[in-house]
Amino acid sequence: MTHTGRNDPCPCGSGKKYKNCCLNRSGRDSLVENINISKARRDDDIIPVDSVIDYGQPFTDAAFFDTNNVHDFSGTRLIYSLILNPHVEELAHKTVRGFLNRGKEEMDRIINADKVRSVIEIMRRNPDPINNEPLMKKLVRDKEQAVPMMLRELREPQNDSFVELSARILHRTGTNYSKDIIDIIKSGNNRRAYAISVLCVLLGFYDNDESGNLLWAYYHYMKNTYPNDTYSDGPLLGLIEIRDRKRQKASLN
């Protein structure tokens, strides 16, 4: 059975993270698991700067991908899917808005905000997921102002929602921010394992000679350091995206 990490979407389908849903509703066994949880699986999982050692040159052949699999269910896998299929969330937003009034006041603030900083502040306060689509569209439209702000914020500790939305917005701009993302992953003050895992997903979509080595190192580090969580999915998905892009280019030649 695949392990569900604390930061992953709850398998029950509630839309909440596992730690805020069924993790604490599963009876005595889950309670014991919570009490005895190792440091490597807490919300404050931190990756110190320079702690990720050199794992050598990436050897991402077919055997590697056959023996190293993404978890069936993880937060980073969901973000990867949303990056690949932005139309799905847009359709969901339109559908849900047809019969739900939840978050309307927040949505009005997003739409009517005359300053990018105001939208960034809403983004920092865990916006209602139903409003993600209009928020992302507004910041993509104002990307010249929004992107530098987001990149600065990503260097500092942020909530999961901010990091996830930033990754998706940066990808939607169509600009290669790999140099900035690599710098944030390697030396930023935001050292939370989940945040770095999400940024590793984004990094896989950019062409940069340094990306493969960095993702390879973080994949092995996260897999070895956090064996009971799903952080390693981020760099692995980044490596998968690099592989798929190379295959696509090769097929065109």
Side-chain angles (χ1 to χ4, degrees):
M1 179 181 296
T2 302
H3 172 76
T4 301
R6 290 167 57 81
N7 287 309
D8 298 337
C10 188
C12 75
S14 67
K16 298 180 180 179
K17 293 190 177 183
Y18 184 48
K19 65 185 179 185
N20 296 326
C21 195
C22 292
L23 177 63
N24 295 317
R25 300 177 186 173
S26 301
R28 185 175 182 278
D29 290 343
S30 289
L31 179 61
V32 171
E33 180 183 4
N34 254 347
I35 293 173
N36 295 324
I37 199 164
S38 67
K39 182 178 181 181
R41 293 182 57 210
R42 286 166 25 195
D43 283 346
D44 59 349
D45 292 335
I46 301 297
I47 300 178
V49 173
D50 297 329
S51 65
V52 179
I53 65 173
D54 183 4
Y55 284 87
Q57 285 294 113
F59 194 64
T60 50
D61 60 356
F64 169 77
F65 290 110
D66 286 342
T67 56
N68 293 274
N69 301 310
V70 177
H71 292 81
D72 290 338
F73 206 77
S74 72
T76 43
R77 184 167 186 169
L78 176 60
I79 296 304
Y80 180 67
S81 297
L82 290 172
I83 288 176
L84 288 176
N85 304 287
H87 60 281
V88 172
E89 188 161 22
E90 183 173 2
L91 178 61
H93 171 76
K94 291 179 179 178
T95 302
V96 172
R97 270 282 165 236
F99 58 86
L100 275 184
N101 290 321
R102 194 188 77 195
K104 191 175 185 308
E105 180 181 344
E106 182 184 73
M107 185 177 72
D108 290 341
R109 292 203 311 273
I110 292 170
I111 293 173
N112 297 323
D114 56 358
K115 294 181 180 180
V116 170
R117 171 56 65 183
S118 300
V119 183
I120 296 288
E121 285 303 315
I122 294 174
M123 189 171 154
R124 291 183 64 183
R125 293 196 295 269
N126 256 325
D128 191 319
I130 201 174
N131 292 325
N132 285 350
E133 189 60 30
L135 184 149
M136 289 189 289
K137 280 187 173 180
K138 191 173 185 73
L139 292 180
V140 169
R141 186 174 65 244
D142 296 326
K143 62 182 179 181
E144 287 77 13
Q145 295 180 59
V147 168
M149 290 183 188
M150 283 190 294
L151 291 173
R152 283 197 298 272
E153 296 289 350
L154 284 172
R155 295 191 65 86
E156 305 300 327
Q158 303 292 342
N159 62 58
D160 294 346
S161 175
F162 185 92
V163 178
E164 293 165 351
L165 285 168
S166 294
R168 292 154 66 190
I169 292 167
L170 291 171
H171 181 265
R172 286 191 184 193
T173 66
T175 303
N176 186 334
Y177 295 108
S178 58
K179 183 177 178 181
D180 300 280
I181 299 303
I182 288 172
D183 187 52
I184 293 170
I185 291 173
K186 292 174 66 174
S187 61
N189 294 323
N190 190 355
R191 307 308 306 164
R192 292 182 59 230
Y194 181 71
I196 292 177
S197 179
V198 171
L199 293 178
C200 283
V201 173
L202 176 63
L203 185 59
F205 285 91
Y206 298 136
D207 287 324
N208 188 302
D209 292 339
E210 191 178 347
S211 297
N213 284 8
L214 188 68
L215 294 172
W216 177 261
Y218 270 87
Y219 171 68
H220 289 288
Y221 176 86
M222 289 177 164
K223 184 178 181 181
N224 294 332
T225 307
Y226 307 108
N228 295 318
D229 219 308
T230 60
Y231 301 133
S232 62
D233 280 1
L236 181 56
L237 285 165
L239 290 169
I240 290 172
E241 183 60 28
I242 291 175
R243 177 202 65 185
D244 291 348
R245 192 164 60 253
K246 287 181 178 178
R247 285 179 175 176
Q248 184 177 25
K249 288 181 179 179
S251 68
L252 296 175
N253 294 334

